[in-house]
Amino acid sequence: VGIRQIADSLSLSVCTVSRILNDTMGDAKYRKETIERVRRAAEEMGYRPNMVARSLVSGKTHTIGLCLADIANPVFGEFAALFERDAARRGYATFVCNAGEDPAAERRYVDMLVSRRVDALVISPVGKDVRRLKRIANAPHCRVVLFDRCPGGVHAPSVQVNNRNAMRDLASRCLALGHERVGVIMGSPADSSLALRLGGIRDALKAKGLRASSLVTSKGTGATTVEGGAKGMRHICKKRTRPTLVLALSNVLSMGALAAAKELGIRIGEDLSFAGFDDFPGADLMTPGITVAVQPVRKMAEECVAFACASGPAKPVSKTLKAKIVWRESVRSRGQSR
Amino acid sequence: VGIRQIADSLSLSVCTVSRILNDTMGDAKYRKETIERVRRAAEEMGYRPNMVARSLVSGKTHTIGLCLADIANPVFGEFAALFERDAARRGYATFVCNAGEDPAAERRYVDMLVSRRVDALVISPVGKDVRRLKRIANAPHCRVVLFDRCPGGVHAPSVQVNNRNAMRDLASRCLALGHERVGVIMGSPADSSLALRLGGIRDALKAKGLRASSLVTSKGTGATTVEGGAKGMRHICKKRTRPTLVLALSNVLSMGALAAAKELGIRIGEDLSFAGFDDFPGADLMTPGITVAVQPVRKMAEECVAFACASGPAKPVSKTLKAKIVWRESVRSRGQSR
DNA sequence: GTGAAAGCGCTAACAA
DNA sequence: TTGTTAGCGCTTTCAC
């Protein structure tokens, strides 16, 4: 049932009904009675406004497109859930999309979202071709918000964590325990976040006066996947002088690395110290618990929603948040570990 | 830019452009040249069809509303990701919503989705009031699909796992190892799935000739949450005769229970055998790995998408799938465990 | 206080 | 081979 039938059933005009149901009578003053009649009829007939019609006229859909780089990463999943909740509170529905690290899929999603006239597109871009995003960001009806991965040149606000600093801090704390040979589980070289994190580790090494040769980078599959992490760990552990500390550049990699360690019979904590970037479910449940640097996911989601729902012209403000280190038991001092 | 400007720029009518761009010229035969001109213009002007206008005309939005009982449960998250992917392949965009076990939130979401005229509403209902769902299911434009929790009386297809059988099988295998006193980590009594699973455990006990008194049900928080699981485990472990085997009725409960066990210094496998319903991230990474019954999430997602996208009148078919047991190392024979 | 009418961008009968 | 026209359900300006 639509506004029309309720108007007919009451012998009123659609406009009257519309105005009453939307509380949007500028100068018009309706009789208390009319208002009541309309409200009741709407209720009784089970009227639900047709948002698509409304959107067509208003030009706003009250809809946000969230395009994630890879939902296999639990952090993205958590982010999505938090985002959706905050958006819903503000009256926005969100389309959740998963590019799965595939630029082509991302392109299709972005096109689809634009077609659906989302009011905002919140995206952690996987493709390096940002022309499309630029175009959209410059168009008036859809505001773009970048998060996690924030390529330059797009006129849009962005929300990210300071990857380099976070990883530097984590590495420093670990190195302070006496480790001198550290392995790094690397993922896709195309992911700029990972490069930054690796940079952070290098910083920490340098600050400690350690030579670059004390850093053993994994030759994984070159992909930021569980399997990639596992391959990396196996590779590192085959070395003649195995590192006493292994650092994984992402949670997905951590999960793979840990699986490989288990497989290899390497006891984390006792045989090998380990820490990773980003929390993952179960990191606290394992024995020992895994030390990680965690992104302030909740805060990120809040900021993104705020940018997405903001009114007025989009300002390309860049919010950089700080990660927090959750110290559990997986990193021991070098003596203990070996 | 819309169909209109491209029509104007070419001095054609909107209808011509529409038909060409949609390949929908029934009897009409356009000149190759015209077709080319239109295609090129659309491309150059960066035309993207306005789905909201199109939807208004067609009455279909090519959109599905997915309303989850609780995304804190990793299985739902995985389900959502799989669902979204399959739906996208069929050209559907999906609104992901999380009721968070809150009937009021669910109601709001359902209303919102109906307002947005989703073509299908796929839902694991948390509220016990199904009148609303009934109404929607009977309306012509939005088909309803139930999953996970499938209350009767709604004229809609449903997809679920055979909770009782699955848990019975899991429990039987565990009991075969000699355990005679088993603790159960219970969650919300309102969740019918949990009740069924508990029933499965009772079945197994009975089949083994064990008395009901050998079953110790946790007094948790009464909520299916991590904290609830932890409380349950603590409660059970305080008993004078502690069970040798603990079964958790859901993955969320497992996570809590395991956290509590760790806290209490109870070594899973060695001090206590443990198994749970539904997999969770890290279950395989822990030492020992946790034995679980897993739902065929992928299959469930596929079935749900198929129902949601089906054409023709909705048939209230009920698909019941089988869970699979993933046997890891957390359950040992009674002698070993104690 | 209330209604008529135009129009949002697009599709689809029906003309030409 | 192409155009005219009438809506889809709703909002909004302007008129009564």
Side-chain angles (χ1 to χ4, degrees):
Chain A
V1 318
I3 211 184
R4 180 58 158 286
Q5 4 292 349
I6 112 154
D8 285 356
S9 85
L10 261 45
S11 305
L12 288 171
S13 83
V14 288
C15 132
T16 302
V17 176
S18 168
R19 285 195 283 225
I20 290 182
L21 258 22
N22 292 308
D23 251 15
T24 181
M25 13 201 175
D27 45 349
K29 295 303 178 210
Y30 288 99
R31 295 171 15 218
K32 274 255 170 289
E33 189 204 319
T34 316
I35 299 188
E36 261 321 301
R37 284 206 306 155
V38 171
R39 292 245 168 85
R40 182 159 41 236
E43 170 70 20
E44 279 169 5
M45 305 176 69
Y47 169 76
R48 294 283 173 276
N50 184 327
M51 288 300 285
V52 355
R54 187 178 282 183
S55 294
L56 186 55
V57 27
S58 71
K60 326 221 95 288
T61 52
H62 265 69
T63 281
I64 300 177
L66 177 60
C67 189
L68 304 169
D70 189 6
I71 207 164
N73 182 333
V75 166
F76 279 118
E78 193 189 343
F79 177 86
L82 258 13
F83 185 98
E84 187 279 329
R85 194 186 48 137
D86 284 4
R89 285 188 181 151
R90 302 191 186 217
Y92 283 80
T94 113
F95 284 121
V96 180
C97 306
N98 175 32
E101 300 290 357
D102 174 5
E106 178 178 273
R107 266 197 357 251
R108 284 194 299 272
Y109 274 125
V110 168
D111 277 357
M112 183 219 81
L113 292 169
V114 170
S115 255
R116 294 196 128 91
R117 294 298 188 269
V118 293
D119 291 341
L121 171 61
V122 180
I123 184 173
S124 50
V126 347
K128 64 268 121 259
D129 177 14
V130 290
R131 281 175 309 183
R132 193 170 299 246
L133 286 181
K134 272 178 163 161
R135 259 225 319 269
I136 300 170
N138 290 329
H141 51 233
C142 175
R143 73 172 57 216
V144 174
V145 178
L146 269 20
F147 76 100
D148 189 56
R149 334 249 173 117
C150 307
V154 184
H155 188 79
S158 65
V159 178
Q160 61 209 302
V161 82
N162 193 322
N163 285 294
R164 185 160 195 151
N165 286 359
M167 202 66 192
R168 170 167 5 95
D169 294 349
L170 178 59
S172 296
R173 276 194 66 174
C174 294
L175 291 178
L177 260 26
H179 297 278
E180 292 181 338
R181 193 162 173 76
V182 8
V184 173
I185 312 278
M186 184 65 186
S188 162
D191 185 337
S192 59
S193 307
L194 298 193
L196 288 168
R197 291 170 197 168
L198 182 55
I201 297 180
R202 290 223 171 83
D203 292 348
L205 245 28
K206 191 170 299 173
K208 196 84 202 308
L210 258 23
R211 302 178 39 220
S213 64
S214 58
L215 189 158
V216 185
T217 305
S218 77
K219 302 280 184 299
T221 55
T224 312
T225 60
V226 173
E227 192 37 39
K231 285 236 176 82
M233 185 60 126
R234 284 188 215 110
H235 178 260
I236 285 177
C237 291
K238 272 211 286 278
K239 296 277 174 190
R240 52 278 150 221
T241 13
R242 191 208 282 167
T244 58
L245 166 70
V246 166
L247 264 18
L249 296 185
S250 93
N251 52 2
V252 177
L253 295 170
S254 293
M255 294 188 275
L258 259 13
K262 184 178 173 184
E263 196 183 287
L264 261 34
I266 296 173
R267 289 164 306 171
I268 297 300
E270 294 173 46
D271 303 330
L272 180 70
S273 283
F274 182 95
F277 196 96
D278 268 339
D279 209 353
F280 56 94
D284 56 333
L285 292 185
M286 303 175 142
T287 317
I290 307 298
T291 291
V292 289
V294 306
Q295 305 198 40
V297 186
R298 185 190 201 102
K299 185 79 178 159
M300 287 183 69
E302 278 169 11
E303 298 284 0
C304 286
V305 172
F307 278 136
C309 300
S311 49
K315 296 206 176 73
V317 193
S318 176
K319 278 251 198 257
T320 301
L321 307 175
K322 281 207 293 273
K324 201 181 63 185
I325 294 177
V326 176
W327 195 262
R328 293 197 267 242
E329 312 93 44
S330 62
V331 181
R332 302 206 186 160
S333 68
R334 188 179 164 207
Q336 270 182 286
S337 258
R338 237 170 199 264
Chain B
V1 318
I3 211 184
R4 180 57 158 286
Q5 5 289 350
I6 111 154
D8 286 354
S9 84
L10 262 44
S11 304
L12 288 171
S13 86
V14 288
C15 135
T16 302
V17 176
S18 168
R19 284 196 284 224
I20 291 183
L21 258 22
N22 293 308
D23 251 15
T24 181
M25 14 201 172
D27 45 349
K29 295 302 178 206
Y30 288 99
R31 299 177 6 223
K32 275 255 170 288
E33 188 205 318
T34 316
I35 299 188
E36 261 322 301
R37 284 205 307 155
V38 170
R39 292 244 167 86
R40 182 159 40 238
E43 169 70 19
E44 279 169 5
M45 305 176 68
Y47 170 76
R48 293 283 172 277
N50 184 328
M51 288 300 285
V52 354
R54 187 178 281 182
S55 294
L56 186 55
V57 172
S58 69
K60 325 223 96 286
T61 52
H62 266 69
T63 282
I64 301 177
L66 177 60
C67 189
L68 304 169
D70 189 5
I71 207 165
N73 182 334
V75 166
F76 279 118
E78 193 189 343
F79 177 86
L82 258 14
F83 184 98
E84 187 280 329
R85 193 186 49 136
D86 285 4
R89 285 187 182 153
R90 303 193 187 214
Y92 283 79
T94 113
F95 284 123
V96 180
C97 307
N98 175 32
E101 300 290 357
D102 174 5
E106 177 178 275
R107 265 196 359 251
R108 283 194 300 270
Y109 274 124
V110 168
D111 277 357
M112 183 220 81
L113 292 169
V114 170
S115 254
R116 296 198 126 89
R117 294 299 187 268
V118 293
D119 292 340
L121 170 60
V122 180
I123 184 172
S124 51
V126 346
K128 63 270 124 255
D129 178 14
V130 290
R131 280 175 310 183
R132 193 171 299 244
L133 286 180
K134 273 179 164 162
R135 259 224 319 269
I136 300 171
N138 290 329
H141 52 232
C142 175
R143 73 172 56 216
V144 174
V145 178
L146 268 20
F147 77 101
D148 189 59
R149 333 249 174 116
C150 306
V154 184
H155 188 79
S158 65
V159 177
Q160 61 209 302
V161 81
N162 193 323
N163 285 293
R164 184 159 194 152
N165 287 359
M167 202 66 191
R168 171 169 2 95
D169 294 349
L170 177 60
S172 296
R173 276 194 66 175
C174 294
L175 290 178
L177 261 25
H179 297 278
E180 291 181 340
R181 194 164 172 75
V182 8
V184 174
I185 312 279
M186 184 63 188
S188 163
D191 185 338
S192 59
S193 308
L194 298 192
L196 288 169
R197 292 170 197 168
L198 182 55
I201 298 180
R202 290 222 171 86
D203 292 347
L205 244 28
K206 190 170 300 175
K208 196 83 202 311
L210 258 23
R211 302 177 40 220
S213 65
S214 57
L215 190 158
V216 185
T217 305
S218 76
K219 302 282 184 299
T221 55
T224 312
T225 59
V226 172
E227 191 38 38
K231 285 238 176 81
M233 185 60 127
R234 283 186 216 112
H235 178 259
I236 284 177
C237 290
K238 271 211 288 278
K239 297 276 172 189
R240 51 281 151 218
T241 14
R242 190 208 282 167
T244 58
L245 166 70
V246 166
L247 265 18
L249 296 185
S250 92
N251 51 3
V252 177
L253 296 170
S254 293
M255 295 188 275
L258 260 12
K262 183 178 175 184
E263 197 183 287
L264 261 35
I266 296 174
R267 290 163 306 171
I268 297 300
E270 294 173 48
D271 303 331
L272 179 70
S273 284
F274 183 95
F277 196 96
D278 268 338
D279 209 353
F280 55 95
D284 56 333
L285 292 185
M286 304 176 140
T287 315
I290 307 300
T291 292
V292 289
V294 305
Q295 305 198 40
V297 187
R298 184 189 202 103
K299 184 78 179 157
M300 287 183 69
E302 278 169 10
E303 298 285 0
C304 286
V305 172
F307 278 136
C309 299
S311 49
K315 295 204 176 74
V317 194
S318 175
K319 278 250 199 259
T320 301
L321 307 174
K322 281 207 293 274
K324 202 180 63 185
I325 294 177
V326 175
W327 195 262
R328 294 197 268 243
E329 312 93 44
S330 61
V331 180
R332 302 204 186 160
S333 68
R334 189 180 163 206
Q336 270 181 287
S337 256
R338 241 174 192 259

